Amino acid sequence: MPSIRLPDGSIRRYDRPVTAAEVARDIGPGLAKAALGAKVDGELSDLARPLERDCALAIVTARKREGGADPDGLFLIRHSTAHVMAEAISRLFPHARLVYGPPLETGFYYDISVEGGRPISSDDFPAIEAEMARIIAEDRAFTRYEMPAAQGMEKLRAEGSKFKLDNAERAREAGSASLSWYATGVPGTDWEDLCRGPHVPSTGRIGAFKLMSLASSYWKGDESLDRLTRVYGTAFATKEELAAHLTQLDEAKKRDHRVLGRQLRLFHVDEMVGQGLILWTPNGSIVRQELQNFISEELRKQGYTQVFTPHIGKLDLYRTSGHFPYYRESQYPPIVEHEQMAALAKEGCSCADLANRLEKGEVDGYLLKPMNCPHHIRIFASQPHSYRDMPVRLSEFGTVYRWEQSGEIGGMTRVRGFTQDDAHLFCREDQVAQELLGCLSLVKLIFGTLGMHDYRVRVGLRDPDSAKYVGDPRNWDKAEDACRTAARTLGVPFSEEPGEAAFYGPKIDFVVKDVIGRSWQLGTVQVDYNLPERFDLSYIGADNQAHRPVMIHRAPFGSMERFIGCLIEHFAGAFPLWLAPEQARVLPISEKSAEYARGLHAALAGAGLRASIDESNDRIQAKIKSASEMKIPYLAVVGPRDAESRRVSVRAFGIEANLGEVGLDEFVDRLVREHRTRGAETLRGTLGR
């Protein structure tokens, strides 16, 4: 009979099979009341699942013990809410045919076929939500039952849904000997759906929900198959959590970098150029260049040297590194030389045959570079190195290219061409720990300067059960230990996540939480014993023998496009002065003060500041409004009295009233100092706001 091991290490023994719900009741009535599901040997499960063998059991509730929403609890709530929504739609739209409805990180959706009937629109959301509320109020149990696969297929054929038949067939192909359904209530009497589960115990355990939007989709994602309506929703354990989420979404909409990017003229995506290919406009180029200048200063201090490499490389380079064909699905097709392509065409070589020959190495070609590291490796290998030379630190703002599906491209955060603040360090094994600390200090400096203080660290390790990782397991052990040790020095929480390593080595990722609570994976540092082995790199040691270097990959910003897209949203477009495309604008109240305004503008520009002057005939309030829409950090309002006293009335973005008056020279000097210190000293702070 089963022995149940709980998360605290205690064991509960039973003389008969029990359910997770019974174990929860034995532990205490509070846990039993809060329980939504269970994890049995790490697998999420219903509370009603019988436990017949020895196992590890954790009861899933809406909140984690240390606080915060439990992702497993949210999964159960959202999966169950998707079923409730499907039942409500089935009641209101009898012609609707359900396809599938998975939970998501932020909610859930259900794909529905409405062919032959009235389509669902967002105007129907109030009626659907009202029906869902009735189902939840009925507090009907989610009841699972199973059938042998053959019998289940007969049931589905009788029901006549090709979508459910296809779902079931794929489950059988995956090895399922049975098919499972969930009824909200009594099987055979109440509504039910083909589903693997798991679910919360009953509909009444769903806390708060809201339907969010509609979208078009296609069966199996194939545009040649049935067009479907996708209904999105979200759900939380409490109304308060739902309200907080909706507030965050509203704030995120205001901060959308795609909208702000157009408004502030930061970047442009042009269909004639191509999806996912960013055109940096003058304003956005300033932000990017300031960030590059910032990190370049720090790299010089740490002894990096800058290199430049081409945008393409021979396939053999990437065959040696393992990127081709390992990353084939995310690469652009290889480029074959004209003469070779003509010869292959004469042979009658098909596209499939060409692809096979390319993969086997029988045909050579070039590749738009998906990674910078093979190019840097060849630079290191281009000359001999002594142990005294080590470490060799090569840096580059290198542009790489990845093939992304059209539906996955979004603004600057998911693109097809992006520039990495890339660097590769080639060091002795005894230098790895110190070099890692240098890389991590650079990331911390960037986040601190930009006010991104809320972040966590993720150490990506190899999955011992996966075949995708290359290299000697002993080297992997050393690299993973180095990453763990370095992560401990950061003084912030870090987690170890098997399966998240690159194919050649473990990595340290930085996951930053922005001002409205969203998480972004930005900087990364990776330890690599494998690529030096694949490229047969060496240096001459103190013993006059050849030794293999260790390679560290690091990119504190990661993708410049993604980082700046996140930065736009983090600051809501209101960049600090040192990053702002336009740092100050001079606003003369009237023509009487125009000459003084021009002199102030000249002084700002002469000090190297990015300033403009508004000499339009608009009233001063209209000028202030126009400047505010561009989120300019400082406005210098000048009138005849200011001209006489050589003073400036200062306004700062986000503050309605004037900050106060300062002398012209002090105004210029303070802005120069704020720029130079990257916000450590501010004019706003000097004037007490």
Side-chain angles (χ1 to χ4, degrees), residues 103-117:
L104 303 169
E105 186 178 350
T106 58
F108 59 87
Y109 73 79
Y110 218 113
D111 277 346
I112 297 165
S113 171
V114 291
E115 186 178 355

mmCIF file with all atom_site columns, all heavy atoms in Angstrom, residues 103-117:
data_model
loop_
_atom_site.group_PDB
_atom_site.id
_atom_site.type_symbol
_atom_site.label_atom_id
_atom_site.label_alt_id
_atom_site.label_comp_id
_atom_site.label_asym_id
_atom_site.label_entity_id
_atom_site.label_seq_id
_atom_site.pdbx_PDB_ins_code
_atom_site.Cartn_x
_atom_site.Cartn_y
_atom_site.Cartn_z
_atom_site.occupancy
_atom_site.B_iso_or_equiv
_atom_site.pdbx_formal_charge
_atom_site.auth_seq_id
_atom_site.auth_comp_id
_atom_site.auth_asym_id
_atom_site.auth_atom_id
_atom_site.pdbx_PDB_model_num
ATOM 1   N N   . PRO A 1 103 ? -4.672  26.340 -21.568 1.00 0.00 ? 103 PRO A N   1
ATOM 2   C CA  . PRO A 1 103 ? -4.299  27.492 -20.740 1.00 0.00 ? 103 PRO A CA  1
ATOM 3   C C   . PRO A 1 103 ? -3.013  28.104 -21.280 1.00 0.00 ? 103 PRO A C   1
ATOM 4   O O   . PRO A 1 103 ? -2.230  27.445 -21.969 1.00 0.00 ? 103 PRO A O   1
ATOM 5   C CB  . PRO A 1 103 ? -4.082  26.877 -19.355 1.00 0.00 ? 103 PRO A CB  1
ATOM 6   C CG  . PRO A 1 103 ? -3.722  25.455 -19.636 1.00 0.00 ? 103 PRO A CG  1
ATOM 7   C CD  . PRO A 1 103 ? -4.423  25.059 -20.895 1.00 0.00 ? 103 PRO A CD  1
ATOM 8   N N   . LEU A 1 104 ? -2.796  29.382 -20.968 1.00 0.00 ? 104 LEU A N   1
ATOM 9   C CA  . LEU A 1 104 ? -1.606  30.115 -21.393 1.00 0.00 ? 104 LEU A CA  1
ATOM 10  C C   . LEU A 1 104 ? -0.939  30.726 -20.168 1.00 0.00 ? 104 LEU A C   1
ATOM 11  O O   . LEU A 1 104 ? -1.486  30.662 -19.060 1.00 0.00 ? 104 LEU A O   1
ATOM 12  C CB  . LEU A 1 104 ? -1.988  31.227 -22.378 1.00 0.00 ? 104 LEU A CB  1
ATOM 13  C CG  . LEU A 1 104 ? -2.740  30.823 -23.639 1.00 0.00 ? 104 LEU A CG  1
ATOM 14  C CD1 . LEU A 1 104 ? -3.273  32.063 -24.340 1.00 0.00 ? 104 LEU A CD1 1
ATOM 15  C CD2 . LEU A 1 104 ? -1.843  30.030 -24.567 1.00 0.00 ? 104 LEU A CD2 1
ATOM 16  N N   . GLU A 1 105 ? 0.208   31.359 -20.383 1.00 0.00 ? 105 GLU A N   1
ATOM 17  C CA  . GLU A 1 105 ? 0.913   31.989 -19.269 1.00 0.00 ? 105 GLU A CA  1
ATOM 18  C C   . GLU A 1 105 ? 0.087   33.099 -18.640 1.00 0.00 ? 105 GLU A C   1
ATOM 19  O O   . GLU A 1 105 ? 0.159   33.339 -17.437 1.00 0.00 ? 105 GLU A O   1
ATOM 20  C CB  . GLU A 1 105 ? 2.251   32.548 -19.759 1.00 0.00 ? 105 GLU A CB  1
ATOM 21  C CG  . GLU A 1 105 ? 3.112   33.102 -18.649 1.00 0.00 ? 105 GLU A CG  1
ATOM 22  C CD  . GLU A 1 105 ? 4.453   33.600 -19.144 1.00 0.00 ? 105 GLU A CD  1
ATOM 23  O OE1 . GLU A 1 105 ? 4.793   33.342 -20.310 1.00 0.00 ? 105 GLU A OE1 1
ATOM 24  O OE2 . GLU A 1 105 ? 5.154   34.259 -18.356 1.00 0.00 ? 105 GLU A OE2 1
ATOM 25  N N   . THR A 1 106 ? -0.712  33.798 -19.454 1.00 0.00 ? 106 THR A N   1
ATOM 26  C CA  . THR A 1 106 ? -1.501  34.913 -18.920 1.00 0.00 ? 106 THR A CA  1
ATOM 27  C C   . THR A 1 106 ? -3.005  34.671 -19.010 1.00 0.00 ? 106 THR A C   1
ATOM 28  O O   . THR A 1 106 ? -3.774  35.584 -18.736 1.00 0.00 ? 106 THR A O   1
ATOM 29  C CB  . THR A 1 106 ? -1.178  36.211 -19.677 1.00 0.00 ? 106 THR A CB  1
ATOM 30  O OG1 . THR A 1 106 ? -1.445  36.022 -21.076 1.00 0.00 ? 106 THR A OG1 1
ATOM 31  C CG2 . THR A 1 106 ? 0.280   36.602 -19.490 1.00 0.00 ? 106 THR A CG2 1
ATOM 32  N N   . GLY A 1 107 ? -3.447  33.488 -19.377 1.00 0.00 ? 107 GLY A N   1
ATOM 33  C CA  . GLY A 1 107 ? -4.884  33.252 -19.488 1.00 0.00 ? 107 GLY A CA  1
ATOM 34  C C   . GLY A 1 107 ? -5.185  31.932 -20.162 1.00 0.00 ? 107 GLY A C   1
ATOM 35  O O   . GLY A 1 107 ? -4.625  30.886 -19.815 1.00 0.00 ? 107 GLY A O   1
ATOM 36  N N   . PHE A 1 108 ? -6.046  31.970 -21.154 1.00 0.00 ? 108 PHE A N   1
ATOM 37  C CA  . PHE A 1 108 ? -6.438  30.762 -21.872 1.00 0.00 ? 108 PHE A CA  1
ATOM 38  C C   . PHE A 1 108 ? -7.118  31.183 -23.171 1.00 0.00 ? 108 PHE A C   1
ATOM 39  O O   . PHE A 1 108 ? -7.434  32.360 -23.373 1.00 0.00 ? 108 PHE A O   1
ATOM 40  C CB  . PHE A 1 108 ? -7.412  29.915 -21.042 1.00 0.00 ? 108 PHE A CB  1
ATOM 41  C CG  . PHE A 1 108 ? -8.686  30.639 -20.666 1.00 0.00 ? 108 PHE A CG  1
ATOM 42  C CD1 . PHE A 1 108 ? -9.790  30.657 -21.507 1.00 0.00 ? 108 PHE A CD1 1
ATOM 43  C CD2 . PHE A 1 108 ? -8.772  31.326 -19.462 1.00 0.00 ? 108 PHE A CD2 1
ATOM 44  C CE1 . PHE A 1 108 ? -10.956 31.344 -21.164 1.00 0.00 ? 108 PHE A CE1 1
ATOM 45  C CE2 . PHE A 1 108 ? -9.932  32.018 -19.114 1.00 0.00 ? 108 PHE A CE2 1
ATOM 46  C CZ  . PHE A 1 108 ? -11.019 32.030 -19.961 1.00 0.00 ? 108 PHE A CZ  1
ATOM 47  N N   . TYR A 1 109 ? -7.318  30.219 -24.052 1.00 0.00 ? 109 TYR A N   1
ATOM 48  C CA  . TYR A 1 109 ? -8.147  30.477 -25.233 1.00 0.00 ? 109 TYR A CA  1
ATOM 49  C C   . TYR A 1 109 ? -8.870  29.198 -25.613 1.00 0.00 ? 109 TYR A C   1
ATOM 50  O O   . TYR A 1 109 ? -8.536  28.109 -25.133 1.00 0.00 ? 109 TYR A O   1
ATOM 51  C CB  . TYR A 1 109 ? -7.323  31.019 -26.409 1.00 0.00 ? 109 TYR A CB  1
ATOM 52  C CG  . TYR A 1 109 ? -6.426  30.023 -27.112 1.00 0.00 ? 109 TYR A CG  1
ATOM 53  C CD1 . TYR A 1 109 ? -6.929  29.107 -28.047 1.00 0.00 ? 109 TYR A CD1 1
ATOM 54  C CD2 . TYR A 1 109 ? -5.052  30.025 -26.886 1.00 0.00 ? 109 TYR A CD2 1
ATOM 55  C CE1 . TYR A 1 109 ? -6.099  28.214 -28.703 1.00 0.00 ? 109 TYR A CE1 1
ATOM 56  C CE2 . TYR A 1 109 ? -4.214  29.133 -27.545 1.00 0.00 ? 109 TYR A CE2 1
ATOM 57  C CZ  . TYR A 1 109 ? -4.740  28.229 -28.452 1.00 0.00 ? 109 TYR A CZ  1
ATOM 58  O OH  . TYR A 1 109 ? -3.920  27.343 -29.097 1.00 0.00 ? 109 TYR A OH  1
ATOM 59  N N   . TYR A 1 110 ? -9.867  29.340 -26.454 1.00 0.00 ? 110 TYR A N   1
ATOM 60  C CA  . TYR A 1 110 ? -10.525 28.179 -27.045 1.00 0.00 ? 110 TYR A CA  1
ATOM 61  C C   . TYR A 1 110 ? -10.748 28.485 -28.512 1.00 0.00 ? 110 TYR A C   1
ATOM 62  O O   . TYR A 1 110 ? -11.269 29.539 -28.865 1.00 0.00 ? 110 TYR A O   1
ATOM 63  C CB  . TYR A 1 110 ? -11.861 27.865 -26.356 1.00 0.00 ? 110 TYR A CB  1
ATOM 64  C CG  . TYR A 1 110 ? -12.101 26.372 -26.218 1.00 0.00 ? 110 TYR A CG  1
ATOM 65  C CD1 . TYR A 1 110 ? -12.115 25.760 -24.978 1.00 0.00 ? 110 TYR A CD1 1
ATOM 66  C CD2 . TYR A 1 110 ? -12.267 25.574 -27.350 1.00 0.00 ? 110 TYR A CD2 1
ATOM 67  C CE1 . TYR A 1 110 ? -12.295 24.395 -24.846 1.00 0.00 ? 110 TYR A CE1 1
ATOM 68  C CE2 . TYR A 1 110 ? -12.442 24.202 -27.226 1.00 0.00 ? 110 TYR A CE2 1
ATOM 69  C CZ  . TYR A 1 110 ? -12.441 23.613 -25.972 1.00 0.00 ? 110 TYR A CZ  1
ATOM 70  O OH  . TYR A 1 110 ? -12.603 22.265 -25.862 1.00 0.00 ? 110 TYR A OH  1
ATOM 71  N N   . ASP A 1 111 ? -10.290 27.569 -29.383 1.00 0.00 ? 111 ASP A N   1
ATOM 72  C CA  . ASP A 1 111 ? -10.564 27.678 -30.812 1.00 0.00 ? 111 ASP A CA  1
ATOM 73  C C   . ASP A 1 111 ? -11.898 27.023 -31.103 1.00 0.00 ? 111 ASP A C   1
ATOM 74  O O   . ASP A 1 111 ? -12.165 25.886 -30.658 1.00 0.00 ? 111 ASP A O   1
ATOM 75  C CB  . ASP A 1 111 ? -9.463  27.001 -31.626 1.00 0.00 ? 111 ASP A CB  1
ATOM 76  C CG  . ASP A 1 111 ? -8.255  27.897 -31.831 1.00 0.00 ? 111 ASP A CG  1
ATOM 77  O OD1 . ASP A 1 111 ? -8.380  29.110 -31.583 1.00 0.00 ? 111 ASP A OD1 1
ATOM 78  O OD2 . ASP A 1 111 ? -7.202  27.395 -32.244 1.00 0.00 ? 111 ASP A OD2 1
ATOM 79  N N   . ILE A 1 112 ? -12.732 27.736 -31.870 1.00 0.00 ? 112 ILE A N   1
ATOM 80  C CA  . ILE A 1 112 ? -14.109 27.297 -32.109 1.00 0.00 ? 112 ILE A CA  1
ATOM 81  C C   . ILE A 1 112 ? -14.437 27.470 -33.588 1.00 0.00 ? 112 ILE A C   1
ATOM 82  O O   . ILE A 1 112 ? -14.089 28.485 -34.195 1.00 0.00 ? 112 ILE A O   1
ATOM 83  C CB  . ILE A 1 112 ? -15.086 28.118 -31.246 1.00 0.00 ? 112 ILE A CB  1
ATOM 84  C CG1 . ILE A 1 112 ? -14.801 27.863 -29.761 1.00 0.00 ? 112 ILE A CG1 1
ATOM 85  C CG2 . ILE A 1 112 ? -16.535 27.792 -31.564 1.00 0.00 ? 112 ILE A CG2 1
ATOM 86  C CD1 . ILE A 1 112 ? -15.437 28.856 -28.826 1.00 0.00 ? 112 ILE A CD1 1
ATOM 87  N N   . SER A 1 113 ? -15.103 26.473 -34.157 1.00 0.00 ? 113 SER A N   1
ATOM 88  C CA  . SER A 1 113 ? -15.599 26.583 -35.522 1.00 0.00 ? 113 SER A CA  1
ATOM 89  C C   . SER A 1 113 ? -17.067 27.006 -35.467 1.00 0.00 ? 113 SER A C   1
ATOM 90  O O   . SER A 1 113 ? -17.875 26.378 -34.782 1.00 0.00 ? 113 SER A O   1
ATOM 91  C CB  . SER A 1 113 ? -15.476 25.240 -36.249 1.00 0.00 ? 113 SER A CB  1
ATOM 92  O OG  . SER A 1 113 ? -16.148 25.292 -37.498 1.00 0.00 ? 113 SER A OG  1
ATOM 93  N N   . VAL A 1 114 ? -17.385 28.095 -36.178 1.00 0.00 ? 114 VAL A N   1
ATOM 94  C CA  . VAL A 1 114 ? -18.772 28.590 -36.206 1.00 0.00 ? 114 VAL A CA  1
ATOM 95  C C   . VAL A 1 114 ? -19.313 28.549 -37.636 1.00 0.00 ? 114 VAL A C   1
ATOM 96  O O   . VAL A 1 114 ? -20.223 29.281 -37.986 1.00 0.00 ? 114 VAL A O   1
ATOM 97  C CB  . VAL A 1 114 ? -18.868 30.019 -35.631 1.00 0.00 ? 114 VAL A CB  1
ATOM 98  C CG1 . VAL A 1 114 ? -18.612 30.006 -34.135 1.00 0.00 ? 114 VAL A CG1 1
ATOM 99  C CG2 . VAL A 1 114 ? -17.910 30.959 -36.327 1.00 0.00 ? 114 VAL A CG2 1
ATOM 100 N N   . GLU A 1 115 ? -18.739 27.688 -38.455 1.00 0.00 ? 115 GLU A N   1
ATOM 101 C CA  . GLU A 1 115 ? -19.186 27.582 -39.847 1.00 0.00 ? 115 GLU A CA  1
ATOM 102 C C   . GLU A 1 115 ? -20.663 27.180 -39.892 1.00 0.00 ? 115 GLU A C   1
ATOM 103 O O   . GLU A 1 115 ? -21.108 26.266 -39.190 1.00 0.00 ? 115 GLU A O   1
ATOM 104 C CB  . GLU A 1 115 ? -18.336 26.530 -40.580 1.00 0.00 ? 115 GLU A CB  1
ATOM 105 C CG  . GLU A 1 115 ? -18.635 26.444 -42.061 1.00 0.00 ? 115 GLU A CG  1
ATOM 106 C CD  . GLU A 1 115 ? -17.744 25.431 -42.765 1.00 0.00 ? 115 GLU A CD  1
ATOM 107 O OE1 . GLU A 1 115 ? -16.827 24.877 -42.114 1.00 0.00 ? 115 GLU A OE1 1
ATOM 108 O OE2 . GLU A 1 115 ? -17.972 25.203 -43.957 1.00 0.00 ? 115 GLU A OE2 1
ATOM 109 N N   . GLY A 1 116 ? -21.424 27.899 -40.691 1.00 0.00 ? 116 GLY A N   1
ATOM 110 C CA  . GLY A 1 116 ? -22.841 27.575 -40.840 1.00 0.00 ? 116 GLY A CA  1
ATOM 111 C C   . GLY A 1 116 ? -23.734 28.251 -39.832 1.00 0.00 ? 116 GLY A C   1
ATOM 112 O O   . GLY A 1 116 ? -24.940 27.971 -39.777 1.00 0.00 ? 116 GLY A O   1
ATOM 113 N N   . GLY A 1 117 ? -23.193 29.146 -39.024 1.00 0.00 ? 117 GLY A N   1
ATOM 114 C CA  . GLY A 1 117 ? -24.018 29.843 -38.039 1.00 0.00 ? 117 GLY A CA  1
ATOM 115 C C   . GLY A 1 117 ? -23.515 31.251 -37.815 1.00 0.00 ? 117 GLY A C   1
ATOM 116 O O   . GLY A 1 117 ? -22.536 31.690 -38.424 1.00 0.00 ? 117 GLY A O   1
#
